[in-house]
Amino acid sequence: MLRALGRIAYRIYVATIIGSVAIVAVLALFKPATTVIHTAAFAAQVLPSPAKFQPWITVEPERREISFQRHDGTEGEADVYVIPDGKRRAAVLVFLGANAAGADDPDVINLGQALARTGFAVMYYWSPTMGEQAQIDAGEIVNLVAAFEHLREEEYVDPERVGLAGFSVGASFALVAAADPRIADDIAFVNAFGGYYDTSDLVVQIAASHAIEDDGDRDWEVDQLTRRVYNNMLIDSIDDPTHQEAARAIAGGSDYDANQRVPLSTEAAFALLAGVGYVGEARWRYAQLTEDFRAEVDSIAPSHHVGQWSAYTAMRVMHDVGDPLIPVGESRRLVDALGEQRPEVEVYYTETDIFRHVRPDANRDLKSLLRGAGQLFRHMFHIVAVAR
């Protein structure tokens, strides 16, 4: 009797070993299956879904406040979300752009945790000028480069699997930073959500009308935040403090006196702040702004850096068709330019209709949310695969 029980126990033990080996082999051979599960869990977590099962299948990430040295020697601040298991993992540097949501914003925390649960070490870089003052600060490009270099050197990061992700203006800054030769060949992917393609062209469009046509599909009503950032850019282009005060008054709705004795570049800024009647005039006025200002605007335009991106960096671009801050045509132009100028670069483009700019819109109907969830799933699948 005991021998029989011993033989049965031995067979169960052997069967268990064989079964475990078989399960491991299946998972090893079919790794996309785990990527599918984690991508679906991510999509459900960041969208207004009633079924948020990501916490059931993953470990709770840890949030850390860190600092790093910028290229000018000052300290930058960042938040990191990572599962504290001692493993080296893929990583992503996230930049939220101008007037960004803060570190304690619920959507920011949720996104950081959701990305960490898919397997990434997530680093948010916080800009004191852009994030808090709705400014466009070209100096933040090199700070993004420094942040990326710092992230690659962290002991919990696999330096061969590090990407950049940006939202709104942050998306365009991430694209420009990806062209920097110090890091260009080290970037696994860039995910640009809701960014612009050409800065000067966008400035001209905003100046030309309160409602501009976006690829002929619809009118784009310029959002007040977009106009605020635009106003700040133009006011900063003026050197004289007295004329800056006048510019602020014009931006606030005061009448523009074309007979004022001011430099031509200042007069152009006044006209652009007041609004001009058509694109041609806006382009002429923009051309009168100082050469230094126009050079700085070009320095933060992805359109001027298409040829500098690494052929080994996967480009993933996303935009909401009803975006009230930056029109969808900007991302379309980016994707078209990549197709024409850099056909060797891997590009994947997604348009959705479930976001308000870059935040999920909980007021969409169920059918739209399901369609948008499928679009987000397809977009994120290959990014999550980098982490898995």
Side-chain angles (χ1 to χ4, degrees):
M1 182 69 176
L2 290 175
R3 287 183 180 179
L5 289 174
R7 286 195 295 271
I8 292 172
Y10 177 75
R11 288 170 182 168
I12 291 173
Y13 171 76
V14 171
T16 301
I17 295 296
I18 293 172
S20 299
V21 171
I23 290 171
V24 171
V26 168
L27 290 176
L29 291 172
F30 298 100
K31 286 184 179 179
T34 59
T35 303
V36 166
I37 293 170
H38 282 283
T39 307
F42 172 84
Q45 187 68 29
V46 298
L47 294 177
S49 164
K52 297 185 182 295
F53 60 94
Q54 196 182 38
W56 306 345
I57 61 172
T58 58
V59 178
E60 180 78 18
E62 180 179 274
R63 175 180 171 183
R64 306 170 183 172
E65 295 180 1
I66 68 166
S67 61
F68 66 95
Q69 190 173 55
R70 299 189 182 104
H71 284 297
D72 64 0
T74 61
E75 281 198 348
E77 295 182 353
D79 278 2
V80 169
Y81 291 81
V82 64
I83 292 175
D85 56 7
K87 295 180 180 178
R88 282 184 174 268
R89 58 187 67 248
V92 58
L93 172 64
V94 181
F95 188 48
L96 300 180
N99 203 50
D104 295 322
D105 181 275
D107 286 341
V108 170
I109 294 172
N110 186 48
L111 176 63
Q113 291 180 336
L115 284 169
R117 288 180 184 278
T118 66
F120 282 105
V122 184
M123 178 177 173
Y124 283 108
Y125 168 58
W126 305 115
S127 166
T129 52
M130 293 178 64
E132 299 172 10
Q133 302 171 25
Q135 298 279 3
I136 299 294
D137 184 356
E140 289 295 7
I141 299 293
V142 293
N143 292 335
L144 279 174
V145 172
F148 184 88
E149 290 173 324
H150 176 89
L151 181 59
R152 287 188 78 236
E153 293 172 359
E154 289 284 12
E155 61 181 9
Y156 48 81
V157 170
D158 176 355
E160 302 302 316
R161 295 185 294 149
V162 184
L164 277 165
F167 295 78
S168 187
V169 172
S172 301
F173 270 53
L175 287 165
V176 174
D180 191 294
R182 287 169 290 191
I183 63 173
D185 291 333
D186 300 323
I187 302 170
F189 65 87
V190 176
N191 189 51
F193 186 8
Y196 60 81
Y197 174 59
D198 188 276
T199 328
S200 62
D201 187 55
L202 187 61
V203 168
V204 164
Q205 292 182 79
I206 296 170
S209 176
H210 287 272
I212 64 173
E213 281 200 355
D214 169 31
D215 286 2
D217 293 337
R218 66 181 72 201
D219 286 338
W220 174 57
E221 186 67 30
V222 180
D223 186 89
Q224 288 305 306
L225 175 56
T226 300
R227 193 167 292 282
R228 180 184 170 199
V229 173
Y230 159 85
N231 290 345
N232 287 339
M233 285 182 65
L234 291 173
I235 292 167
D236 286 346
S237 75
I238 301 171
D239 294 329
D240 189 300
T242 302
H243 295 157
Q244 281 191 344
E245 287 302 314
R248 290 189 182 92
I250 292 167
S254 298
D255 291 336
Y256 163 50
D257 181 4
N259 296 316
Q260 290 186 67
R261 288 176 177 257
V262 296
L264 183 59
S265 60
T266 300
E267 181 186 349
F270 284 177
L272 291 169
L273 286 164
V276 297
Y278 55 93
V279 170
E281 182 185 352
R283 290 195 190 284
W284 184 84
R285 294 286 188 178
Y286 179 80
Q288 312 310 312
L289 297 175
T290 65
E291 185 177 345
D292 287 346
F293 175 75
R294 287 183 283 115
E296 184 172 287
V297 167
D298 288 343
S299 74
I300 58 170
S303 59
H304 288 259
H305 300 275
V306 176
Q308 298 165 299
W309 293 322
S310 171
Y312 302 105
T313 299
M315 294 292 181
R316 307 192 77 77
V317 184
M318 190 173 181
H319 216 116
D320 196 82
V321 293
D323 192 331
L325 274 78
I326 298 175
V328 66
E330 292 297 305
S331 285
R332 291 173 183 170
R333 282 187 280 277
L334 167 63
V335 172
D336 288 345
L338 278 165
E340 293 170 5
Q341 301 175 41
R342 300 295 306 279
E344 76 279 16
V345 175
E346 177 191 333
V347 184
Y348 188 87
Y349 179 50
T350 301
E351 286 186 7
T352 73
D353 64 353
I354 61 169
F355 290 86
R356 176 174 170 79
H357 190 38
V358 294
R359 287 186 186 260
D361 184 355
N363 295 322
R364 300 297 293 176
D365 60 85
L366 180 60
K367 183 178 178 181
S368 295
L369 281 173
L370 290 174
R371 181 177 64 249
Q375 293 165 334
L376 181 62
F377 175 91
R378 288 192 297 272
H379 184 88
M380 290 296 300
F381 179 82
H382 292 288
I383 294 177
V384 174
V386 173
R388 305 312 306 173

